[in-house]
Amino acid sequence: MIVRKLDEVVGTDHDVAAEGWNSRRLLLAKDGMGFSLHDTLIHPGVDLNLCYENHLEAVYCIEGDGEIRVLPDGPTYPIVPGTVYALDQHDHHVLRATTTMRMVCVFNPPVTGNEVHDENGAYPAAAVLQES
Ligand code: 9YT
């Protein structure tokens, strides 16, 4: 069993920041769960143009509010606490917070630790973990 606290991740290599967001990665590929689990803050006033071509992502908002716009033509959905969205089609989207949003994010396949978005708004395909 793995038991981990957010406090143990904050300020470590698994607390990853980029423009507009801060991802505290609680469970990673190396934990062997088949998904990664992040407690992510989305800061207000930044348009995050994202398209996870190598991953599926589910995002559950637990604090704050904002919106997600599906590209190229919409629709736009409000995001408030209690809203989940699942990018089951590797959907290209823009995420924007009005107030700091706290999101529980699940990635399949799991991220390995320090991924940030490339120029297309994606994370690289997961490296194959070698059994030792
Ligand atoms: C909701 C979202 O995609 N935010 C960007 C950061 C990412 N989800 C992460 O790695 O936690």
Side-chain angles (χ1 to χ4, degrees):
M1 181 183 292
I2 301 165
V3 178
R4 201 165 282 154
K5 294 182 177 177
L6 181 61
D7 281 355
E8 297 166 0
V9 172
V10 169
T12 72
D13 287 352
H14 300 161
D15 180 357
V16 178
E19 187 186 7
W21 57 269
N22 184 193
S23 175
R24 292 84 62 90
R25 295 174 173 169
L26 292 158
L27 294 171
L28 291 165
K30 65 184 179 186
D31 293 311
M33 295 296 291
F35 58 86
S36 58
L37 180 70
H38 316 179
D39 181 322
T40 297
L41 301 174
I42 307 293
H43 305 300
V46 179
D47 282 344
L48 297 177
N49 190 322
L50 306 173
C51 187
Y52 292 111
E53 60 187 11
N54 301 310
H55 296 84
L56 300 173
E57 186 195 23
V59 180
Y60 184 61
C61 177
I62 57 172
E63 293 176 13
D65 64 283
E67 64 180 29
I68 183 170
R69 177 161 46 98
V70 182
L71 295 180
D73 300 320
T76 298
Y77 299 98
I79 306 291
V80 296
T83 309
V84 64
Y85 63 86
L87 302 169
D88 61 336
Q89 305 294 320
H90 305 279
D91 313 72
H92 189 187
H93 62 285
V94 174
L95 182 64
R96 184 178 181 86
T98 305
T99 62
T100 298
M101 294 194 291
R102 186 175 177 198
M103 317 291 245
V104 177
C105 306
V106 177
F107 274 80
N108 171 21
V111 306
T112 58
N114 54 7
E115 287 91 340
V116 293
H117 301 113
D118 67 14
E119 65 279 7
N120 299 316
Y123 291 156
V128 176
L129 292 178
Q130 303 291 326
E131 297 288 330
S132 57

